[in-house]
Amino acid sequence: MPVGFFVLHGWDGVQKYSDNQNALLIRAYSIHPSFQGKGIALQSLQILPTFVKKQFPTCNEIVLGVNHKNIPAQRLYLRSGFKDSGKRIIGKLGEQFVFHMNV
């Protein structure tokens, strides 16, 4: 059973979140409920930049959208090194904060 999952999108996915053509968008990030609260999410996000540098050498930024009501996810992303870009978009569930991390 997979513990977690995410998708990385290139420019076609990034455009709504950033003008940076060398950015990747992380989408659909989730940890199986049985494994939540064990530090897996934080650890996986902390090693993500190393993975991205190795697999996508031209990438220099990772971006994501997080729902404004999802405070636990916002805290997780900030603890793992993401920063609030100040940009806001409207997603399926309403307003999202756009977070980013330089790689």
Side-chain angles (χ1 to χ4, degrees), residues 65-71 74 88-89 93-97:
V66 59
N67 292 321
H68 79 284
K69 292 182 180 179
N70 192 345
I71 305 301
Q74 292 172 37
R88 304 296 182 254
I89 62 168
L93 300 176
E95 184 180 40
Q96 291 185 336
F97 300 140

Side-chain angles (χ1 to χ4, degrees), residues 17-63:
Y17 301 84
S18 173
D19 295 331
N20 181 356
Q21 293 188 17
N22 293 318
L24 287 176
L25 170 68
I26 184 170
R27 175 177 282 163
Y29 185 82
S30 63
I31 299 294
H32 188 283
S34 299
F35 295 94
Q36 291 178 1
K38 300 178 187 293
I40 293 169
L42 180 62
Q43 185 178 9
S44 68
L45 290 169
Q46 288 173 330
I47 64 172
L48 181 61
T50 301
F51 172 82
V52 167
K53 282 181 193 178
K54 184 175 181 180
Q55 299 299 318
F56 306 95
T58 61
C59 177
N60 60 14
E61 181 182 30
I62 304 168
V63 296

